[in-house]
């Protein structure tokens, strides 16, 4: 074995997986995992841990994998993470833990994410659960939303002895994990549902179909229902559009709607009663992970798919692995292009997308070079559907029905980064509701920080 080269991970063949919704990556078996784990140098000052938003003891769990002790490895991970099977699949490890791995300086970084996935999947198959909570301390905390930040905050608080109830607006728990990320990246029954069950095994209660701001309010939870603190992890599910001519045409969707129909409502399944458009030729506008998810879903529904993005490939915000998989599956990338009009037929249905070519100018506030239109370079892409994947913002329902809760100009809740504390006493927030759309692991890190903040607040009362 070459210690500078990672053990490859088995995947479905691109031509086969482009026609189904089965998971693309097949993961390591035990022999492969132990061999990959042996590449870890077990650094005395592990930079990989510094790169992990939830500070998992990465060398610690990898050494247990190397020794073949999956249960110990799982318990080490579970001390820091409530969702290891999820994180092992969807975290951007290449820019976080693996990005700081010493092995990566002169070769391939250790495949930390795939090892985490192996441990979590094997633990599930063996029936291993995370270590149980301390004795109850008699204090109640409400968590709004059952996405990554809410599940993490709830799990950590339960381990500390709090009586935790999660309030979820949808009929399924999991937040973006169930409505946003496709089955071929994150299986719902095998992975998400089991991770939720693990959090419930800590004593966390989940009440579904409860819309905070309608069914009840945060003020009501604190003043009438006896909760001592509240964590808002409601995410950012309000889609953005371009406001260009023709955007109201039939066949224009937000990525949120398209993915929710497919992922949460199983519209891709022939037995599902949820309708979904199966375009012949589709344009997906945007270059993030959600755009890749929408594009790869449309492809599996039988569409020729064009991803239109206004910057170059170097600036694509999606994970390199997702872009690589999309290209392997046959998705076409029209880069340095931007839509200027949606074209429709006489009945109002999309018939094309008029775009203009772009070139990169000076860097903008984010440090990326700003795209500038090239005059006279307009062209059309014939299509019967356009999916907008331009990011999302928080739904203002919670902030508008809560007294004394500050929001910024983007309608995101203002909260302290270190503790999650908002402008309202006893109310904490984190994840996309605070930052706008970001990654699963960053939301988990925020939930973890808020759990610590809530514990410090309630312990001092």
């Amino acid at each position: 074995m070459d210690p500078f080269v990672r053990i490859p991970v088995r995947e479905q063949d691109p031509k086969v997986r482009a026609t189904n919704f089965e998971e693309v990556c097949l993961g390591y078996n035990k022999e492969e995992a132990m061999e990959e784990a042996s590449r870890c140098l077990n650094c005395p000052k592990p930079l990989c841990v510094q790169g992990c938003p939830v500070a998992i003891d990465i060398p610690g769990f990898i050494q247990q994998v190397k020794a073949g002790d999956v249960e110990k490895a799982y318990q080490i991970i579970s001390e820091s993470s409530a969702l290891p099977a999820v994180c092992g699949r969807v975290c951007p490890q290449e820019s976080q833990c693996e990005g700081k791995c010493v092995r990566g300086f002169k070769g391939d970084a250790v495949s930390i994410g795939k090892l985490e996935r192996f441990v979590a999947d094997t633990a599930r198959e063996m029936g291993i659960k995370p270590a149980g909570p301390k004795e109850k301390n008699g204090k109640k905390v409400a968590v709004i939303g059952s996405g990554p930040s809410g599940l993490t905050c709830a799990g950590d608080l339960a381990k500390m002895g709090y009586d935790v109830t999660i309030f979820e607006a949808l009929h399924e728990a999991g937040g973006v994990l169930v409505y946003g990320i496709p089955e071929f990246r994150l299986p719902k029954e095998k992975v998400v549902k089991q991770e939720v069950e693990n959090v419930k095994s800590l004593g966390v209660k989940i009440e579904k179909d409860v819309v905070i701001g309608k069914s009840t309010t945060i003020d009501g939870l604190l003043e009438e229902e006896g909760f001592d603190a509240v964590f808002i992890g409601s995410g950012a599910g309000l889609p953005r559009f371009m406001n260009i001519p023709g955007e109201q045409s039939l066949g224009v969707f937000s990525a949120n709607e398209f993915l929710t129909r497919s992922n949460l409502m199983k519209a891709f399944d022939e037995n599902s009663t949820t309708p979904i458009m199966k375009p012949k030729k589709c344009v997906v506008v945007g270059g993030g992970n959600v755009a890749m998810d929408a594009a790869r879903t449309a492809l599996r529904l039988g569409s020729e798919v064009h991803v239109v993005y206004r910057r170059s490939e170097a600036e694509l915000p999606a994970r390199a692995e997702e872009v690589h998989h999309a290209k392997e599956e046959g998705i076409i990338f029209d880069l340095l292009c931007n839509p200027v009009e949606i074209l429709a037929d006489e009945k109002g249905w999309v018939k094309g997308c008029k775009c203009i070519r772009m070139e990169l100018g000076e860097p903008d506030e984010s440090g990326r070079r700003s795209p500038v239109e090239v005059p006279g370079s307009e062209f059309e892409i014939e299509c019967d559907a356009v999916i907008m994947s331009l990011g999302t913002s928080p739904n203002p329902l919670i902030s508008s029905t809560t007294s004394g809760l500050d929001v910024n100009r983007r309608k995101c809740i203002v909260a302290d980064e270190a503790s999650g504390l908002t402008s309202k006493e006893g109310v904490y927030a984190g994840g996309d509701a605070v930052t706008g759309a970001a990654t699963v692991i960053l939301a988990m890190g925020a939930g973890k920080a808020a759990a610590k903040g809530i514990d410090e607040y309630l312990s001092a009362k």
Side-chain angles (χ1 to χ4, degrees):
M1 183 191 82
D2 185 344
F4 294 99
V5 179
R6 67 171 55 183
I7 303 302
V9 180
R10 291 164 289 117
E11 297 178 343
Q12 277 199 75
D13 180 86
K15 291 181 180 179
V16 175
R17 71 183 190 234
T19 64
N20 66 55
F21 279 81
E22 300 299 316
E23 191 167 13
V24 169
C25 180
L26 304 178
Y28 285 141
N29 59 30
K30 188 171 183 178
E31 182 181 24
E32 292 165 339
M34 291 176 68
E35 192 171 356
E36 179 63 18
S38 70
R39 297 182 58 239
C40 176
L41 297 172
N42 197 18
C43 303
K45 294 183 179 179
L47 299 178
C48 55
V49 177
Q50 297 176 23
C52 176
V54 295
I56 292 171
D57 178 5
I58 294 169
F61 97 75
I62 290 180
Q63 293 310 303
Q64 296 303 326
V65 174
K66 180 181 175 181
D69 194 331
V70 172
E71 182 166 5
K72 279 188 180 178
Y74 180 73
Q75 295 302 347
I76 289 171
I77 295 173
S78 296
E79 288 174 7
S80 302
S81 174
L83 307 170
V86 170
C87 290
R89 287 168 164 84
V90 303
C91 276
Q93 291 100 5
E94 66 277 5
S95 62
Q96 294 178 160
C97 54
E98 293 178 15
K100 292 185 177 293
C101 176
V102 173
R103 272 286 185 213
F105 296 166
K106 292 186 178 180
D108 292 340
V110 174
S111 191
I112 298 168
K114 298 299 188 291
L115 290 175
E116 181 180 17
R117 169 190 165 148
F118 162 76
V119 170
D121 286 359
T122 306
R124 181 185 65 247
E125 292 164 5
M126 295 171 65
I128 300 169
K129 296 289 184 181
K134 299 177 182 178
E135 292 183 9
K136 296 289 185 181
N137 59 25
K139 295 180 179 179
K140 293 172 58 179
V141 180
V143 171
I144 314 304
S146 65
S149 65
L151 289 170
T152 299
C153 186
D156 279 13
L157 287 169
K159 290 175 185 176
M160 297 173 190
Y162 290 93
D163 183 352
V164 185
T165 302
I166 295 176
F167 295 96
E168 169 55 50
L170 296 176
H171 63 284
E172 290 285 348
V176 69
L177 305 176
V178 292
Y179 73 74
I181 303 176
E183 192 78 14
F184 54 81
R185 278 220 293 144
L186 188 63
K188 304 301 173 269
E189 287 290 327
K190 185 176 79 171
V191 176
V192 179
K193 186 169 283 189
Q194 292 304 311
E195 299 274 65
V196 171
E197 288 300 316
N198 284 344
V199 172
K200 289 171 68 176
S201 75
L202 298 171
V204 174
K205 298 180 286 293
I206 301 179
E207 293 191 20
K208 293 174 278 192
D209 299 308
V210 179
V211 180
I212 302 299
K214 292 286 188 181
S215 308
T216 185
T217 63
I218 287 176
D219 291 338
L221 293 173
L222 291 169
E223 297 167 10
E224 299 168 16
E225 299 191 37
F227 286 96
D228 299 290
V230 174
F231 172 72
I232 304 171
S234 50
L238 194 63
R240 297 175 186 160
F241 288 88
M242 294 187 72
N243 297 317
I244 58 176
E247 205 167 29
Q248 302 302 317
S249 302
L250 300 171
V252 178
F253 304 93
S254 70
N256 274 39
E257 178 188 351
F258 187 72
L259 290 171
T260 298
R261 285 177 179 271
S262 179
N263 301 333
L264 180 66
M265 309 304 293
K266 309 297 182 190
F268 69 85
D269 190 330
E270 292 181 357
N271 297 319
S272 173
T273 58
T274 300
I276 192 168
M277 185 179 183
K278 297 181 179 179
K280 295 177 181 177
K281 190 172 181 179
C282 172
V283 167
V284 176
V285 183
N289 289 325
V290 176
M292 297 306 114
D293 287 344
R296 296 172 70 196
T297 297
L299 180 83
R300 284 159 170 76
L301 293 174
S303 178
E304 176 188 311
V305 183
H306 290 246
V307 169
V308 173
Y309 180 61
R310 62 185 184 152
R311 290 182 167 94
S312 71
E313 183 167 351
E315 287 81 29
L316 277 168
R319 291 184 66 192
E321 182 179 53
E322 302 309 318
V323 175
H324 172 67
H325 283 161
K327 286 183 175 180
E328 279 190 326
E329 292 165 7
I331 286 169
I332 300 160
F333 283 75
D334 293 304
L335 303 173
L336 287 170
C337 300
N338 205 36
V340 292
E341 183 180 0
I342 308 299
L343 308 174
D345 62 20
E346 64 280 359
K347 294 183 179 180
W349 283 93
V350 170
K351 68 174 184 179
C353 183
K354 185 177 180 182
C355 300
I356 190 167
R357 301 199 183 277
M358 313 291 285
E359 59 185 14
L360 296 180
E362 295 301 313
D364 62 14
E365 294 175 358
S366 69
R368 293 185 299 173
R369 293 170 65 193
S370 299
V372 180
E373 292 184 354
V374 177
S377 63
E378 291 88 350
F379 68 100
E380 294 179 10
I381 301 175
E382 181 184 344
C383 61
D384 57 344
V386 176
I387 299 173
M388 294 291 183
S389 181
L390 306 167
T392 54
S393 57
N395 190 313
L397 179 62
I398 288 178
S399 58
S400 65
T401 57
T402 305
S403 63
L405 190 64
D406 290 347
V407 297
N408 60 24
R409 60 182 178 81
R410 296 185 298 138
K411 304 300 182 185
C412 293
I413 297 168
V414 177
D416 179 71
E417 185 177 346
S419 68
L421 180 63
T422 70
S423 56
K424 185 177 178 68
E425 183 181 356
V427 177
Y428 293 72
D432 292 2
V434 171
T435 62
T439 62
V440 167
I441 190 63
L442 289 177
M444 290 175 63
K448 196 170 192 65
K452 185 172 180 289
I454 290 170
D455 180 52
E456 289 174 353
Y457 165 69
L458 293 179
S459 296
K461 287 189 74 174

